[in-house]
Amino acid sequence: MLTLTTAQCSHRGGRASNEDALGSRVRENDACFAISDGVGGRAGGAIASKLAVHWALQQLDDKPAYGLQAMTHGSVDAADAAIVAEQRRNPERAHMAATMVALFIDRRERMAQWIHVGDSRLYLFRRGHLLRRTQDHSLAAQLQRAGLSCSPDKAHLLSHALGQADTDTIEPGVACTLEDGDAYLLCTDGFWNGLDDAAMQHCLQIAGNVADWIALLAERVRQRSDGEGTQDNYSALGVWVGDPHLVTRAPAA
């Protein structure tokens, strides 16, 4: 059976509370890993992120017979519906929203598929190469793809989020075959904003296990944000397939 090992971290940074949520569920035949970030400045963000993670994990029970495609797409539909229902029950939370990235794994078929909404990201490290598997649903990303710049005060604006309109257009990533030594990283924007690609790869090269990897990455984020009282919440979840320590790490040269 496909070996999976995981580790996670979540910190409030310089904020008064932590509105990130994350969770994982590994079963004999399948697994799900999810991370979510409550959209800042909106009441109920912490509740929205918890609902997103809960309903992503719930797909393993609700759609086990329909494969990765159904579970992956269903996670967005279920999470969005749960957040909208909470908005209607509690008018003070009428504008709450959340980002999400979820990774689903079929352990029997050795396949993976993912979906994301907003600017939480999924990275894949394979045989020394870093592959970013998601493209942010944000104003900054849209302008960048058009060859335009975005002012810093608007860079955080999202084009898609759970609990807002237009999630019907969200499509899962293309399913891919898992390889021994794959290392996945799911993280919120407060985490990846504090790292560059070189730092991510270096931490993987020197980590002995997935827990060390996540701890090294989190320490890099903390160091970079020292003295910034406005540092965002930052959270990450690492998934190792097989033994990346031997397979995926790039040679020292």
Short mmCIF file of all heavy atoms in Angstrom, two decimals, residues 7-48:
data_model
loop_
_atom_site.label_atom_id
_atom_site.label_comp_id
_atom_site.label_asym_id
_atom_site.label_seq_id
_atom_site.Cartn_x
_atom_site.Cartn_y
_atom_site.Cartn_z
N ALA A 7 2.69 16.04 8.23
CA ALA A 7 2.95 16.95 9.36
C ALA A 7 2.29 18.27 9.04
O ALA A 7 2.05 18.59 7.86
CB ALA A 7 4.45 17.14 9.59
N GLN A 8 2.00 19.06 10.08
CA GLN A 8 1.32 20.33 9.84
C GLN A 8 1.72 21.34 10.89
O GLN A 8 2.27 21.01 11.95
CB GLN A 8 -0.20 20.14 9.88
CG GLN A 8 -0.74 19.68 11.23
CD GLN A 8 -2.22 19.37 11.19
OE1 GLN A 8 -2.68 18.64 10.31
NE2 GLN A 8 -2.96 19.90 12.15
N CYS A 9 1.45 22.61 10.58
CA CYS A 9 1.66 23.69 11.54
C CYS A 9 0.63 24.77 11.27
O CYS A 9 0.13 24.91 10.15
CB CYS A 9 3.08 24.26 11.45
SG CYS A 9 3.38 25.24 9.95
N SER A 10 0.31 25.54 12.30
CA SER A 10 -0.60 26.67 12.14
C SER A 10 -0.31 27.68 13.23
O SER A 10 -0.29 27.33 14.42
CB SER A 10 -2.06 26.20 12.23
OG SER A 10 -2.95 27.26 11.91
N HIS A 11 -0.04 28.94 12.83
CA HIS A 11 0.33 29.99 13.78
C HIS A 11 -0.49 31.25 13.49
O HIS A 11 -0.82 31.54 12.34
CB HIS A 11 1.82 30.31 13.66
CG HIS A 11 2.70 29.12 13.90
ND1 HIS A 11 3.06 28.69 15.15
CD2 HIS A 11 3.27 28.25 13.02
CE1 HIS A 11 3.83 27.62 15.06
NE2 HIS A 11 3.97 27.34 13.78
N ARG A 12 -0.76 32.00 14.54
CA ARG A 12 -1.55 33.21 14.35
C ARG A 12 -0.72 34.39 13.87
O ARG A 12 -1.26 35.43 13.48
CB ARG A 12 -2.29 33.58 15.64
CG ARG A 12 -1.42 33.98 16.81
CD ARG A 12 -2.27 34.26 18.03
NE ARG A 12 -1.49 34.60 19.20
CZ ARG A 12 -1.10 35.84 19.52
NH1 ARG A 12 -1.44 36.85 18.72
NH2 ARG A 12 -0.40 36.07 20.60
N GLY A 13 0.61 34.25 13.85
CA GLY A 13 1.46 35.36 13.42
C GLY A 13 1.29 36.56 14.32
O GLY A 13 1.26 36.44 15.54
N GLY A 14 1.12 37.73 13.71
CA GLY A 14 0.94 38.95 14.49
C GLY A 14 -0.51 39.31 14.72
O GLY A 14 -0.81 40.39 15.24
N ARG A 15 -1.43 38.43 14.35
CA ARG A 15 -2.85 38.71 14.50
C ARG A 15 -3.36 38.28 15.88
O ARG A 15 -2.75 37.45 16.56
CB ARG A 15 -3.64 37.97 13.41
CG ARG A 15 -3.23 38.34 11.98
CD ARG A 15 -3.63 39.78 11.64
NE ARG A 15 -3.12 40.20 10.34
CZ ARG A 15 -3.71 39.94 9.18
NH1 ARG A 15 -4.81 39.22 9.15
NH2 ARG A 15 -3.19 40.38 8.05
N ALA A 16 -4.49 38.85 16.27
CA ALA A 16 -5.07 38.53 17.58
C ALA A 16 -5.62 37.11 17.63
O ALA A 16 -5.68 36.50 18.71
CB ALA A 16 -6.18 39.53 17.92
N SER A 17 -6.03 36.56 16.49
CA SER A 17 -6.58 35.21 16.46
C SER A 17 -6.15 34.53 15.16
O SER A 17 -5.65 35.18 14.23
CB SER A 17 -8.11 35.24 16.54
OG SER A 17 -8.66 35.95 15.44
N ASN A 18 -6.34 33.22 15.12
CA ASN A 18 -5.95 32.43 13.95
C ASN A 18 -7.21 31.99 13.21
O ASN A 18 -8.01 31.23 13.75
CB ASN A 18 -5.13 31.22 14.40
CG ASN A 18 -4.50 30.48 13.22
OD1 ASN A 18 -4.81 30.76 12.06
ND2 ASN A 18 -3.62 29.55 13.52
N GLU A 19 -7.38 32.47 11.99
CA GLU A 19 -8.56 32.11 11.19
C GLU A 19 -8.24 31.04 10.15
O GLU A 19 -9.07 30.77 9.28
CB GLU A 19 -9.15 33.36 10.53
CG GLU A 19 -9.70 34.37 11.54
CD GLU A 19 -10.54 35.45 10.89
OE1 GLU A 19 -10.44 35.63 9.66
OE2 GLU A 19 -11.30 36.11 11.63
N ASP A 20 -7.05 30.44 10.23
CA ASP A 20 -6.72 29.32 9.36
C ASP A 20 -7.28 28.03 9.97
O ASP A 20 -7.42 27.92 11.20
CB ASP A 20 -5.20 29.16 9.22
CG ASP A 20 -4.56 30.27 8.41
OD1 ASP A 20 -5.30 31.10 7.84
OD2 ASP A 20 -3.31 30.32 8.37
N ALA A 21 -7.58 27.07 9.12
CA ALA A 21 -7.99 25.74 9.57
C ALA A 21 -7.34 24.71 8.66
O ALA A 21 -7.11 24.98 7.48
CB ALA A 21 -9.51 25.60 9.53
N LEU A 22 -7.03 23.55 9.20
CA LEU A 22 -6.44 22.50 8.39
C LEU A 22 -6.78 21.15 8.99
O LEU A 22 -7.10 21.03 10.17
CB LEU A 22 -4.93 22.68 8.25
CG LEU A 22 -4.02 22.58 9.46
CD1 LEU A 22 -2.55 22.61 9.00
CD2 LEU A 22 -4.22 23.71 10.45
N GLY A 23 -6.74 20.12 8.14
CA GLY A 23 -7.06 18.80 8.62
C GLY A 23 -6.70 17.75 7.60
O GLY A 23 -6.49 18.04 6.42
N SER A 24 -6.60 16.51 8.05
CA SER A 24 -6.27 15.41 7.16
C SER A 24 -6.98 14.15 7.62
O SER A 24 -7.34 14.00 8.79
CB SER A 24 -4.75 15.17 7.13
OG SER A 24 -4.28 14.82 8.42
N ARG A 25 -7.18 13.27 6.68
CA ARG A 25 -7.80 11.98 6.98
C ARG A 25 -7.18 10.95 6.05
O ARG A 25 -7.28 11.09 4.82
CB ARG A 25 -9.31 12.06 6.79
CG ARG A 25 -10.02 10.84 7.35
CD ARG A 25 -11.51 11.09 7.37
NE ARG A 25 -12.23 9.91 7.86
CZ ARG A 25 -13.55 9.78 7.78
NH1 ARG A 25 -14.27 10.75 7.25
NH2 ARG A 25 -14.14 8.70 8.24
N VAL A 26 -6.52 9.97 6.63
CA VAL A 26 -5.86 8.92 5.85
C VAL A 26 -6.52 7.59 6.19
O VAL A 26 -6.55 7.18 7.35
CB VAL A 26 -4.36 8.86 6.16
CG1 VAL A 26 -3.69 7.76 5.33
CG2 VAL A 26 -3.70 10.20 5.89
N ARG A 27 -7.06 6.94 5.16
CA ARG A 27 -7.71 5.65 5.34
C ARG A 27 -6.97 4.60 4.51
O ARG A 27 -5.99 4.91 3.83
CB ARG A 27 -9.18 5.73 4.92
CG ARG A 27 -9.93 6.86 5.62
CD ARG A 27 -11.42 6.76 5.48
NE ARG A 27 -11.87 6.72 4.09
CZ ARG A 27 -13.14 6.75 3.73
NH1 ARG A 27 -14.09 6.83 4.64
NH2 ARG A 27 -13.49 6.71 2.45
N GLU A 28 -7.43 3.38 4.58
CA GLU A 28 -6.72 2.29 3.91
C GLU A 28 -6.63 2.51 2.41
O GLU A 28 -5.58 2.27 1.79
CB GLU A 28 -7.42 0.96 4.20
CG GLU A 28 -6.73 -0.23 3.55
CD GLU A 28 -7.43 -1.53 3.85
OE1 GLU A 28 -8.46 -1.52 4.57
OE2 GLU A 28 -6.97 -2.58 3.34
N ASN A 29 -7.71 2.99 1.79
CA ASN A 29 -7.74 3.10 0.34
C ASN A 29 -7.64 4.52 -0.19
O ASN A 29 -7.42 4.72 -1.39
CB ASN A 29 -9.03 2.47 -0.20
CG ASN A 29 -9.10 0.98 0.07
OD1 ASN A 29 -8.09 0.28 -0.02
ND2 ASN A 29 -10.28 0.48 0.41
N ASP A 30 -7.84 5.51 0.66
CA ASP A 30 -7.85 6.89 0.17
C ASP A 30 -7.41 7.85 1.28
O ASP A 30 -7.20 7.45 2.42
CB ASP A 30 -9.23 7.28 -0.36
CG ASP A 30 -10.35 6.97 0.64
OD1 ASP A 30 -10.10 7.03 1.85
OD2 ASP A 30 -11.48 6.68 0.19
N ALA A 31 -7.27 9.11 0.91
CA ALA A 31 -6.85 10.13 1.87
C ALA A 31 -7.27 11.50 1.37
O ALA A 31 -7.44 11.72 0.16
CB ALA A 31 -5.33 10.09 2.07
N CYS A 32 -7.44 12.41 2.29
CA CYS A 32 -7.73 13.81 1.95
C CYS A 32 -6.96 14.72 2.88
O CYS A 32 -6.85 14.45 4.10
CB CYS A 32 -9.23 14.10 2.07
SG CYS A 32 -9.65 15.84 1.76
N PHE A 33 -6.42 15.78 2.34
CA PHE A 33 -5.69 16.80 3.10
C PHE A 33 -6.26 18.15 2.68
O PHE A 33 -6.40 18.42 1.48
CB PHE A 33 -4.20 16.73 2.81
CG PHE A 33 -3.64 15.34 2.98
CD1 PHE A 33 -3.61 14.45 1.91
CD2 PHE A 33 -3.17 14.91 4.21
CE1 PHE A 33 -3.12 13.16 2.05
CE2 PHE A 33 -2.67 13.63 4.37
CZ PHE A 33 -2.64 12.75 3.30
N ALA A 34 -6.58 19.00 3.64
CA ALA A 34 -7.22 20.27 3.30
C ALA A 34 -6.72 21.38 4.21
O ALA A 34 -6.42 21.15 5.39
CB ALA A 34 -8.74 20.15 3.42
N ILE A 35 -6.67 22.58 3.65
CA ILE A 35 -6.27 23.76 4.41
C ILE A 35 -7.10 24.94 3.92
O ILE A 35 -7.45 25.02 2.73
CB ILE A 35 -4.75 24.02 4.25
CG1 ILE A 35 -4.23 24.95 5.34
CG2 ILE A 35 -4.42 24.54 2.86
CD1 ILE A 35 -2.72 24.91 5.47
N SER A 36 -7.47 25.82 4.84
CA SER A 36 -8.37 26.92 4.50
C SER A 36 -7.99 28.15 5.30
O SER A 36 -7.47 28.05 6.42
CB SER A 36 -9.82 26.52 4.79
OG SER A 36 -10.71 27.57 4.48
N ASP A 37 -8.28 29.32 4.74
CA ASP A 37 -7.95 30.60 5.35
C ASP A 37 -9.19 31.49 5.31
O ASP A 37 -9.71 31.78 4.24
CB ASP A 37 -6.79 31.23 4.55
CG ASP A 37 -6.38 32.61 5.07
OD1 ASP A 37 -6.90 33.04 6.11
OD2 ASP A 37 -5.54 33.24 4.42
N GLY A 38 -9.67 31.88 6.50
CA GLY A 38 -10.80 32.79 6.54
C GLY A 38 -10.42 34.13 5.95
O GLY A 38 -9.34 34.67 6.23
N VAL A 39 -11.25 34.66 5.07
CA VAL A 39 -10.94 35.93 4.40
C VAL A 39 -10.89 37.05 5.44
O VAL A 39 -11.86 37.24 6.20
CB VAL A 39 -11.97 36.24 3.30
CG1 VAL A 39 -11.72 37.62 2.70
CG2 VAL A 39 -11.92 35.17 2.22
N GLY A 40 -9.78 37.74 5.49
CA GLY A 40 -9.54 38.73 6.52
C GLY A 40 -10.52 39.89 6.50
O GLY A 40 -11.02 40.30 5.45
N GLY A 41 -10.81 40.40 7.70
CA GLY A 41 -11.65 41.58 7.83
C GLY A 41 -13.13 41.30 7.73
O GLY A 41 -13.94 42.22 7.71
N ARG A 42 -13.52 40.03 7.70
CA ARG A 42 -14.94 39.70 7.59
C ARG A 42 -15.34 38.82 8.76
O ARG A 42 -14.70 37.79 9.03
CB ARG A 42 -15.23 38.97 6.28
CG ARG A 42 -14.83 39.82 5.07
CD ARG A 42 -15.30 39.21 3.78
NE ARG A 42 -14.90 40.03 2.64
CZ ARG A 42 -15.29 39.80 1.40
NH1 ARG A 42 -16.08 38.78 1.14
NH2 ARG A 42 -14.89 40.59 0.42
N ALA A 43 -16.38 39.20 9.46
CA ALA A 43 -16.83 38.44 10.62
C ALA A 43 -17.16 37.01 10.23
O ALA A 43 -17.80 36.76 9.20
CB ALA A 43 -18.07 39.10 11.22
N GLY A 44 -16.69 36.06 11.04
CA GLY A 44 -16.97 34.66 10.78
C GLY A 44 -15.92 33.96 9.95
O GLY A 44 -16.13 32.81 9.55
N GLY A 45 -14.79 34.60 9.70
CA GLY A 45 -13.75 33.98 8.87
C GLY A 45 -13.26 32.66 9.43
O GLY A 45 -13.05 31.70 8.69
N ALA A 46 -13.09 32.59 10.75
CA ALA A 46 -12.62 31.35 11.38
C ALA A 46 -13.65 30.23 11.22
O ALA A 46 -13.30 29.06 11.03
CB ALA A 46 -12.33 31.59 12.85
N ILE A 47 -14.93 30.58 11.30
CA ILE A 47 -15.99 29.58 11.12
C ILE A 47 -16.01 29.10 9.67
O ILE A 47 -16.15 27.91 9.39
CB ILE A 47 -17.35 30.18 11.52
CG1 ILE A 47 -17.37 30.48 13.01
CG2 ILE A 47 -18.49 29.23 11.14
CD1 ILE A 47 -18.59 31.24 13.48
N ALA A 48 -15.87 30.02 8.73
CA ALA A 48 -15.88 29.66 7.31
C ALA A 48 -14.74 28.69 6.98
O ALA A 48 -14.94 27.71 6.25
CB ALA A 48 -15.77 30.92 6.45
#
